[in-house]
């Protein structure tokens, strides 16, 4: 029985190739609320597109007297409905077919009483969306209220949908359950009963109470408090107790203590050669060094080859002894 089993396994890659690929965007399938909102947006656009039309029969006055106003007519409704879904959009057409009677009832009977189609159709009738500032199955108010969710400084989880938990995801610079507090690196520039604004501190401050380096509560890494202001450490320092290379706590790589301050190490003058290839020149740079072949030298993996030697190596060397003349 083993050979047939191996044969079946051998067909597996072929079967996998024959399977249809996953539909593009399957992972980003729209929610029921998004589909409903999209249908309403297209319906509203259809109302705009047909706003200046009429029955088109040539005798508009007679037609409107006999058939009622085109503005409120079933003919206009049908024109709008026909433009809502592309023929290839299965989900849109499926939703339209299921909800066409609701849209017709709103158009013919309820439009004046409920002028906001989205609120009547998606929120109150189908119950797939919530009004802005509310969330979840029961459309509860977001944290901070429906008028200014999250103090206007964040996003309410599930805002406008039947999903989420109403918690706040704060914008950069804000924190707290209501996004009304400032993060480290920001200070409160305005706060009252309804509004809270946070502004970035000076780059020298980790915490602050105002916009300048004199308003720091704590200095940022690489800065030090001097005369009531955060001053930047010297570029040669890893931490410092004051300005200049003489107040470094430690030196950055490529620098070392010399006469009480961090000074550049000249790697090219050290006893241990920094550039190890033959004929190579060493050039010191701040905190480092570079190795370069002299002008005209050819660079190889382990040497800088002078021009004369390079030409010799490129010449074709004889592989056989010269032929002897017959004696």
């Amino acid at each position: 029985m083993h050979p047939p089993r191996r044969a079946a396994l051998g067909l597996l890659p072929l079967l996998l190739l024959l399977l249809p690929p996953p539909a593009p965007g399957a992972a980003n399938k729209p929610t029921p609320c998004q589909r409903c909102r999209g249908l309403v947006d297209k319906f509203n656009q259809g109302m705009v597109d047909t706003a200046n039309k009429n029955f088109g029969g040539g005798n508009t006055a007679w037609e409107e007297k006999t058939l009622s106003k085109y503005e409120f007519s079933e003919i206009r409704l049908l024109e709008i409905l026909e433009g809502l879904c592309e023929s290839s959009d299965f989900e849109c057409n499926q939703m339209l077919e299921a909800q066409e009677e609701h849209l017709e009832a709103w158009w013919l009977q309820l439009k004046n009483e409920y002028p906001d189609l989205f609120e009547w159709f998606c929120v109150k009738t189908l119950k797939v969306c919530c009004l802005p500032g509310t969330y979840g199955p029961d459309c509860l108010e977001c944290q901070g209220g429906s008028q200014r969710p999250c103090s206007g400084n964040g996003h309410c989880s599930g805002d406008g949908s039947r999903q989420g938990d109403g918690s706040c995801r704060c914008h950069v610079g804000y924190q707290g359950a209501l996004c009304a507090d400032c993060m480290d690196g920001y200070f409160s520039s305005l706060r009252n009963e309804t509004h809270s604004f946070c502004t970035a501190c000076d780059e020298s401050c980790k915490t602050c109470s105002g916009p300048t380096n004199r308003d720091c509560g704590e200095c940022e890494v690489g800065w030090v408090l001097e005369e009531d202001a955060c001053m930047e450490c010297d570029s040669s320092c890893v931490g410092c107790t004051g300005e200049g290379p003489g107040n470094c706590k430690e030196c950055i790589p490529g620098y070392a203590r010399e006469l009480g301050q961090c000074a550049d190490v000249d790697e090219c003058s050290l006893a241990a050669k920094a550039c190890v290839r033959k004929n190579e020149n060493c050039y010191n740079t701040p905190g480092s060094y570079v190795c370069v072949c002299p002008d005209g030298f050819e660079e190889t993996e382990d040497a800088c080859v002078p021009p004369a030697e390079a030409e010799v190596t490129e010449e074709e060397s004889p592989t056989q002894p010269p032929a002897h003349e017959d004696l």
Side-chain angles (χ1 to χ4, degrees):
M1 298 298 292
H2 289 297
R5 186 177 180 184
R6 286 196 298 270
L9 289 173
L11 289 173
L12 184 59
L14 179 60
L15 292 173
L16 291 174
L17 288 173
L18 294 175
L19 289 173
N28 299 321
K29 187 177 180 181
T31 65
C33 179
Q34 289 171 332
R35 287 200 297 270
C36 188
R37 183 181 289 278
L39 195 70
V40 168
D41 288 344
K42 290 180 180 178
F43 194 101
N44 289 333
Q45 184 59 49
M47 292 177 64
V48 173
D49 294 342
T50 58
N52 297 319
K53 289 188 177 182
N54 54 45
F55 289 106
N59 192 340
T60 301
W62 178 86
E63 289 167 340
E64 290 192 345
K65 181 180 179 181
T66 307
L67 303 176
S68 81
K69 290 276 187 181
Y70 171 82
E71 180 183 359
F72 311 108
S73 68
E74 289 189 58
I75 292 178
R76 185 184 179 194
L77 172 63
L78 289 174
E79 289 183 9
I80 294 172
L81 294 177
E82 286 175 358
L84 291 185
C85 302
E86 299 289 339
S87 58
S88 59
D89 191 338
F90 172 76
E91 289 187 345
C92 179
N93 283 287
Q94 187 181 44
M95 185 177 187
L96 179 59
E97 184 179 353
Q99 307 302 334
E100 189 169 348
E101 288 185 4
H102 280 129
L103 293 172
E104 184 176 345
W106 177 82
W107 178 264
L108 297 176
Q109 303 167 16
L110 302 170
K111 186 166 56 170
N112 290 335
E113 185 178 356
Y114 301 102
D116 188 334
L117 176 58
F118 170 76
E119 181 178 352
W120 178 84
F121 185 55
C122 300
V123 178
K124 295 183 175 180
T125 304
L126 300 188
K127 294 181 173 21
V128 294
C129 296
C130 292
L131 290 175
T134 62
Y135 73 96
D138 299 318
C139 292
L140 302 176
E141 282 194 346
C142 291
Q143 295 283 338
S146 60
Q147 296 302 309
R148 284 180 61 81
C150 307
S151 306
N153 301 322
H155 175 74
C156 167
S157 172
D159 191 353
S161 76
R162 298 278 170 158
Q163 302 173 338
D165 61 8
S167 61
C168 292
R169 187 171 71 246
C170 301
H171 300 326
V172 174
Y174 297 88
Q175 63 182 358
L178 299 179
C179 301
D181 301 321
C182 300
M183 296 174 58
D184 283 355
Y186 293 80
F187 69 96
S188 180
S189 52
L190 172 66
R191 184 161 186 167
N192 55 34
E193 293 180 357
T194 58
H195 292 73
S196 177
F197 293 103
C198 295
T199 302
C201 298
D202 185 81
E203 62 175 340
S204 63
C205 304
K206 184 175 182 181
T207 61
C208 70
S209 58
T212 74
N213 67 337
R214 294 189 174 275
D215 299 313
C216 300
E218 183 181 350
C219 296
E220 190 59 84
V221 175
W223 301 73
V224 64
L225 187 63
E226 279 217 342
E227 297 179 0
D228 298 325
C230 286
M231 309 300 293
E232 189 172 12
C233 295
D234 190 82
S235 60
S236 64
C237 300
V238 178
C240 66
T241 57
E243 287 188 274
N247 289 305
C248 298
K249 291 182 178 179
E250 295 180 29
C251 301
I252 64 171
Y255 284 75
R257 290 279 180 184
E258 184 178 318
L259 300 177
Q261 63 181 20
C262 288
D264 175 48
V265 175
D266 185 356
E267 293 85 357
C268 298
S269 64
L270 297 178
K273 292 184 62 176
C275 300
V276 297
R277 292 187 301 181
K278 184 180 179 181
N279 299 323
E280 193 170 34
N281 290 334
C282 180
Y283 296 97
N284 187 55
T285 62
S288 188
Y289 63 95
V290 293
C291 301
V292 181
C293 285
D295 288 344
F297 281 59
E298 182 179 332
E299 186 172 352
T300 66
E301 186 175 346
D302 55 4
C304 295
V305 182
E309 292 183 19
E311 291 174 6
V312 170
T313 57
E314 291 174 2
E315 291 179 0
E316 185 179 350
S317 59
T319 57
Q320 295 181 355
H324 294 285
E325 293 183 4
D326 291 333
L327 295 175

